[in-house]
Amino acid sequence: MHSIAVAAALLVLPVLALAQSGSPASAPETSAGATRDIFDDLARASLSRLDGQVSLRGLRDSVQVVRDRWGVPHIYAHNLDDLFFAQGFVQAQDRLWQMEMYRRTYEGSLAEILGAEYVRHDRLARLLKFRGPFDDREYSSYHPEGKRIFQAFADGVNAYIRQAAAADRLPVEFKLTGIHPKPWTPEIALLRTQTALPTSAAISELRLARDVARLDVDSANKAARPSPYRDLVVPEGLDVSIIGADVIAGLQGLRTGVVRPDLLPEYRDAAGAASENPGAQENSPGRNNDPHRSVSNPSTRYIVHVNAPGWNVIGATEPMFPGVMIGHTGRIAWGLTIVGRDQAEVYVEDVNPANRNAV
């Protein structure tokens, strides 16, 4: 009766998950000795609670999360808002540090924690960042209920941040670095519209323009080997000779890989040498790695099952995003690929000499 009476305020995390996984093994002895043991103890003490019941403000009804033998969360909710609130909460439980580094990378705030060498990245990230308008038209382009979904997901992330901070159980990376996670907003997931892909496309166009100035139109086009082949036309009145190396340099410097503050422990290989351990690199022929993502730790992907009235889908998302990107329902399955399409246009603009800040 007690659990039913308070069900509307609960996110239920069954004890079954812990029973399946068993008790944590004791930390192995390593050459790091006592220091490594202290880190292991701190890391284990910072792990999220994955069993029992937790009361959370913001839920409309009870939600059940069952973690299977592989740790995959299966989320069962009674409505859309609770479903994505719970997804935000659960993904933050498992990947909050990764989510924080993503946010800082794409909003341009890495230099705050990593120092001056990231100022160049931050400046370019802020210069190219999509700034809206974040209105109904923008959100509905992703889903008819896009605004509700992104907001519910952000609310769930923030619910976990508040709970973990109050219990002194934020992920160990936050304790080691002294960083505190900032609140999540619905717009953060859309920061990925500013990535290295459009920047690379723009740099390619600038290099082509420099080749036209250095060679000629036909020679530059043949060297570029467009596929399918098409004639290159230089806009009338455009003086490509004014595009110097400094213009290309202005678009370089984005850091889109995994960032790691120096305070975090380094991965060491079998010989004891420090390594960033970026993971296996796919270089085989064919399409057996079609999303074109490297194997990394933490993984780019996050496996999740979301179930509510009108929703029943399982597959891979990324920790920062609600829903499922690659997966299946009870009727259909789908995949995706990341390709290097031309996503940028480069313009030469004349600045108002009387007011260089004029739009």
Side-chain angles (χ1 to χ4, degrees):
M1 292 297 294
H2 177 70
S3 61
I4 296 176
V6 298
L10 294 182
L11 174 64
V12 183
L13 305 172
V15 181
L16 177 63
L18 181 60
Q20 288 177 334
S21 59
S23 302
S26 58
E29 290 295 329
T30 68
S31 58
T35 301
R36 181 61 177 267
D37 289 340
I38 291 173
F39 170 75
D40 285 350
D41 291 343
L42 180 63
R44 292 179 188 280
S46 304
L47 292 175
S48 300
R49 178 185 176 191
L50 301 182
D51 65 296
Q53 299 181 351
V54 57
S55 177
L56 296 172
R57 291 182 179 180
L59 286 174
R60 293 168 47 190
D61 206 331
S62 61
V63 179
Q64 186 179 51
V65 179
V66 180
R67 291 180 181 265
D68 61 26
R69 59 185 293 188
W70 296 282
V72 174
H74 300 256
I75 304 172
Y76 299 92
H78 298 288
N79 57 77
L80 177 149
D81 300 283
D82 285 355
L83 179 66
F84 291 104
F85 182 104
Q87 187 181 10
F89 185 91
V90 168
Q91 288 176 194
Q93 276 188 312
D94 294 344
R95 303 285 190 89
L96 183 61
W97 174 258
Q98 183 183 11
M99 295 167 73
E100 174 71 9
M101 291 300 100
Y102 167 93
R103 181 186 64 77
R104 288 184 173 275
T105 297
Y106 290 106
E107 75 174 10
S109 60
L110 285 174
E112 294 177 6
I113 61 172
L114 297 176
E117 66 178 290
Y118 282 85
V119 169
R120 186 183 183 191
H121 162 89
D122 287 352
R123 180 180 181 277
L124 190 54
R126 296 184 187 194
L127 180 66
L128 299 178
K129 182 169 65 175
F130 175 67
R131 301 180 184 276
F134 292 103
D135 53 16
D136 290 340
R137 180 179 178 182
E138 171 66 20
Y139 282 110
S140 63
S141 68
Y142 302 97
H143 187 276
E145 296 289 350
K147 177 62 176 178
R148 284 178 64 190
I149 291 171
F150 283 111
Q151 184 64 63
F153 183 83
D155 291 344
V157 174
N158 291 329
Y160 173 72
I161 292 174
R162 289 192 298 270
Q163 185 209 59
D168 193 27
R169 294 180 74 92
L170 285 171
V172 67
E173 294 92 343
F174 292 100
K175 296 181 179 179
L176 292 174
T177 60
I179 297 170
H180 192 280
K182 291 184 179 181
W184 205 260
T185 66
E187 295 83 12
I188 290 176
L190 306 184
L191 291 176
R192 75 194 311 264
T193 56
Q194 175 279 105
T195 69
L197 289 176
T199 309
S200 298
I203 290 174
S204 295
E205 292 193 5
L206 290 170
R207 286 176 173 160
L208 177 60
R210 284 174 57 79
D211 283 345
V212 170
R214 182 174 58 89
L215 304 169
D216 57 65
V217 175
D218 290 338
S219 298
N221 195 36
K222 289 178 181 178
R225 294 183 297 177
S227 178
Y229 187 85
R230 56 199 179 277
D231 292 334
L232 175 63
V233 178
V234 178
E236 184 177 354
L238 175 63
D239 181 6
V240 292
S241 66
I242 66 175
I243 300 174
D246 57 324
V247 178
I248 295 177
L251 286 176
Q252 295 174 328
L254 280 178
R255 307 283 192 96
T256 56
V258 177
V259 294
R260 182 180 62 83
D262 292 339
L263 290 175
L264 295 182
E266 293 179 322
Y267 168 83
R268 293 188 176 273
D269 60 24
S275 170
E276 289 294 332
N277 187 27
Q281 301 298 309
E282 176 61 50
N283 57 12
S284 60
R287 289 286 184 173
N288 57 342
N289 185 28
D290 213 22
H292 298 161
R293 287 290 193 261
S294 298
V295 178
S296 61
N297 187 15
S299 173
T300 301
R301 301 297 180 193
Y302 184 94
I303 310 299
V304 65
H305 175 204
V306 291
N307 186 296
W311 296 81
N312 186 18
V313 58
I314 187 170
T317 181
E318 294 183 21
M320 299 69 63
F321 310 123
V324 170
M325 294 181 175
I326 306 171
H328 66 85
T329 66
R331 297 183 297 110
I332 63 172
W334 69 95
L336 63 83
T337 188
I338 306 297
V339 297
R341 297 187 64 187
D342 187 348
Q343 302 181 53
E345 297 293 343
V346 178
Y347 296 87
V348 176
E349 297 183 347
D350 294 324
V351 178
N352 183 352
N355 181 4
R356 296 182 64 81
N357 293 321
V359 178

